[in-house]
Structure formats: structure tokens, C-alpha cells
Amino acid sequence: TQLLEQSPQFLSIQEGENLTVYCNSSSVFSSLQWYRQEPGEGPVLLVTVVTGGEVKKLKRLTFQFGDARKDSSLHITAAQPGDTGLYLCAAKGPSGNTPLVFGKGTRLSVIA
Amino acid sequence: EPEVTQTPSHQVTQMGQEVILRCVPISNHLYFYWYRQILGQKVEFLVSFYNNEISEKSEIFDDQFSVERPDGSNFTLKIRSTKLEDSAMYFCASSWGANPNTEAFFGQGTRLTVV
């Protein structure tokens, strides 16, 4: 069973600060996706990373896939209150044709 | 923008009753999924469906659960005899393919409460 460990579990920061959250595993993944989930809603896809070492940017969000495809990070620059939410990583196993496995998420709160 | 839609948004049912959760996946998608999220816990895979049959299912998806694509647009999850522990958010998702690059898009979810 593949496990995705996300850290920190909770993070509360002031508007304008930078932050990084992590998604780690001992397993190799064919791809990894980051989602954001608001209370009572479904996960909304932010990005998919596939290649080891890959870096993708989405405005103030920077996503990186580890070289060994076992871990990933999400860095937010100059956080805003609108960034508040639950950030989930989800990954597919080595064959790629497996269902997504989710981490428990990092709950981010950005205070104005 | 195309989206996955789920109905109802909330469902309250008595223990032992049958419930059907409905989903309309994105129209050109071929793979369909159900996930659930018990309050405060992580999103868990239940079942995937392709070419009118189940392609994979988890340990959670026991004989009480079934899925169906009754027509060209709907994808349903049926729980035959609900238990208290079935209370959760149920998310439907769809994707065009199943390879690593393929992205899954999730619906807003149905909150099922079993009393």
C-alpha cells in the first residue's frame, strides 16, 4: 500500500509570507497531482507533475517533483487569504494505471 | 468549463436503507471513479469504471456497493443497506484516460449522513 505523508498537517501564516508544504513517500510514483479542497467541496486540481525533477509554476505557486519521483513540494510566495484551504497531494503508482492515492493534506490558513 | 456534477448535494438516510448517488461525468471522459472522504480523514478510492465494467475496486467497495452507467451520461453509486460508518462525503471523478499524465476531475460531492 502506497502512503503519502503530508507535512505540516496545519499551517497558519500572515499574509505576505512564503511557505512550503511537503508530500513524501517511500514509493515511486508515475505522477503526482496537487489539489486544493474547500470545506464541503470536492478537490480541485492545481497541477500534475510527471517527470523527476520537474518544476511547474502556477502564478505564485511553485510545484516540484523529486528527482526520484517519491516526493513533491508546493511553495507559495507572498501568501494571500484567498490561498486558505486544504492542499492535497495525490499520486499514481509506478504503472500509472492505478487509482489516485491521497495524502491527508495540509490545512493552510492565511491571516490578513 | 466542463465539470463533473453530482446529485444530491446532501442525503440523509436511515440505517439499512438503500441510497443511490448520482454523477454526470465530463462528456468526453472514458474513466469514472468514486471516492469517499469520512469527516476529518483522507480521500479514499472506492472504485474505477471503464468500458461499462469495474476496472478496479478497493477493500471498502464490498458487496453492499455497486456502480452502474445506466445511460450515456449518468454514473451511479448504490449502497444497498447503509451503515452508520457509510456516513461520508462521496466524490465522483472522471478522466479522459488512465495513464500518468491524465488528470482526474472531481465533482462537488454528496454528503451522505446515515442515522
Side-chain angles (χ1 to χ4, degrees):
Chain A
T1 302
Q2 301 152 11
L3 290 176
L4 286 170
E5 299 290 336
Q6 290 192 244
S7 61
Q9 194 174 355
F10 300 96
L11 184 59
S12 181
I13 61 169
Q14 294 289 325
E15 181 178 3
E17 292 184 356
N18 301 332
L19 66 113
T20 302
V21 298
Y22 301 92
C23 176
N24 296 298
S25 176
S26 57
S27 302
V28 175
F29 296 108
S30 58
S31 66
L32 190 142
Q33 300 180 354
W34 284 93
Y35 290 83
R36 192 173 110 180
Q37 186 180 23
E38 306 286 350
E41 297 184 9
V44 176
L45 181 67
L46 297 174
V47 79
T48 299
V49 286
V50 179
T51 306
E54 183 176 3
V55 176
K56 281 191 175 178
K57 292 196 172 186
L58 184 66
K59 297 183 181 178
R60 294 177 293 99
L61 278 59
T62 302
F63 304 86
Q64 183 161 9
F65 202 13
D67 290 340
R69 304 207 318 272
K70 293 183 178 181
D71 53 81
S72 181
S73 63
L74 159 58
H75 181 80
I76 301 179
T77 304
Q80 298 176 1
D83 296 327
T84 294
L86 180 66
Y87 289 83
L88 299 168
C89 67
K92 291 188 178 186
S95 70
N97 288 325
T98 53
L100 286 172
V101 173
F102 280 82
K104 286 190 175 182
T106 291
R107 187 165 298 283
L108 172 66
S109 177
V110 182
I111 302 163
Chain B
E1 185 175 320
E3 61 181 13
V4 177
T5 57
Q6 291 185 242
T7 55
S9 56
H10 295 88
Q11 174 91 48
V12 181
T13 188
Q14 292 217 324
M15 190 169 55
Q17 294 296 305
E18 174 184 286
V19 293
I20 297 176
L21 310 182
R22 302 181 193 280
C23 169
V24 179
I26 294 174
S27 63
N28 64 343
H29 284 186
L30 302 175
Y31 292 80
F32 314 113
Y33 312 87
W34 284 100
Y35 289 79
R36 79 171 185 190
Q37 186 177 31
I38 295 171
L39 186 63
Q41 298 187 24
K42 62 182 178 182
V43 178
E44 301 174 290
F45 168 74
L46 293 178
V47 66
S48 58
F49 192 86
Y50 169 71
N51 201 26
N52 284 320
E53 61 182 23
I54 291 173
S55 49
E56 193 161 350
K57 59 183 181 179
S58 72
E59 294 173 349
I60 304 168
F61 194 88
D62 61 22
D63 292 344
Q64 293 299 311
F65 291 88
S66 62
V67 289
E68 194 176 37
R69 189 156 161 82
D71 53 43
S73 60
N74 290 287
F75 179 50
T76 62
L77 173 69
K78 181 192 291 186
I79 308 175
R80 288 190 186 82
S81 178
T82 50
K83 304 186 286 286
L84 295 176
E85 53 265 39
D86 292 328
S87 295
M89 283 288 285
Y90 286 81
F91 295 108
C92 173
S94 70
S95 63
W96 184 86
N99 60 33
N101 273 323
T102 307
E103 298 167 336
F105 294 88
F106 284 75
Q108 296 280 74
T110 293
R111 181 176 298 283
L112 176 65
T113 302
V114 182
V115 297

